[in-house]
Amino acid sequence: MLSDEMKQKLIAEAIEARAQSYSPYSRFPVGAAVLAENGQIYQGANIENAAYPSSLCAERVAIFKAISSGNRHIQAIAVVTKGAGSPCGGCRQVMREFGGKKLPILLADEEGNLVEETDLSVLLPRSFGPEDLLV
Ligand code: THU
């Protein structure tokens, strides 16, 4: 269970991360903050590229920071966009790998209002994950 204090902290960190977005093409900055298994929070922002497909979403930047810092599991993620947008399909699959089936997901708008609190089983039902390769 995430405390209200932790929810607010994750949203505040995602807002901070969003300020570092490199999104000159879409002009749609996104910020994310991940609570990792070690208790630390990792920030990420979307990073675009003149060759558009080489861009990376904020959620994956934050998750990959956590994983490349030695974590193998994430406990929660907050995402901040204008209009509190929902994560893309590719990011949902990456969340599945490291957050499990029920990863808590907080979606907040640019002012930090928590617009939707959900989990990965809602956003990615009947998902394929690491356990499915062990049959
Ligand atoms: N974007 C994210 O960072 N996360 C999402 O879940 C959806 C989209 C970014 C990608 C691109 O830089 C911009 O938002 C517009 O699609």
Side-chain angles (χ1 to χ4, degrees):
M1 243 326 245
L2 283 178
S3 66
D4 285 347
E5 195 185 353
M6 180 54 78
K7 288 178 197 173
Q8 287 312 317
K9 172 88 177 137
L10 284 170
I11 291 168
E13 296 246 359
I15 287 175
E16 201 175 290
R18 185 169 176 264
Q20 307 303 330
S21 166
Y22 175 74
S23 45
Y25 307 108
S26 71
R27 297 200 173 90
F28 188 78
V30 182
V34 159
L35 176 63
E37 64 176 313
N38 66 358
Q40 287 199 40
I41 295 174
Y42 297 86
Q43 297 185 355
N46 53 331
I47 302 173
E48 297 184 347
N49 194 283
Y52 296 171
S54 298
S55 305
L56 200 59
C57 292
E59 295 91 325
R60 271 178 277 181
V61 171
I63 293 169
F64 292 160
K65 263 197 209 170
I67 302 307
S68 61
S69 300
N71 297 282
R72 286 297 173 267
H73 187 76
I74 62 171
Q75 303 186 48
I77 186 167
V79 186
V80 169
T81 73
K82 196 173 176 195
S86 202
C88 81
C91 287
R92 293 177 194 201
Q93 187 61 39
V94 172
M95 291 174 193
R96 173 69 177 86
E97 185 75 21
F98 300 111
K101 287 182 183 172
K102 300 212 68 172
L103 174 73
I105 300 170
L106 309 174
L107 303 178
D109 66 19
E110 59 199 326
E111 275 118 39
N113 301 304
L114 177 53
V115 172
E116 191 179 344
E117 191 175 347
T118 185
D119 73 64
L120 195 63
S121 69
V122 176
L123 298 189
L124 194 67
R126 302 189 62 186
S127 60
F128 187 87
E131 317 81 56
D132 295 302
L133 290 174
L134 301 175
V135 290

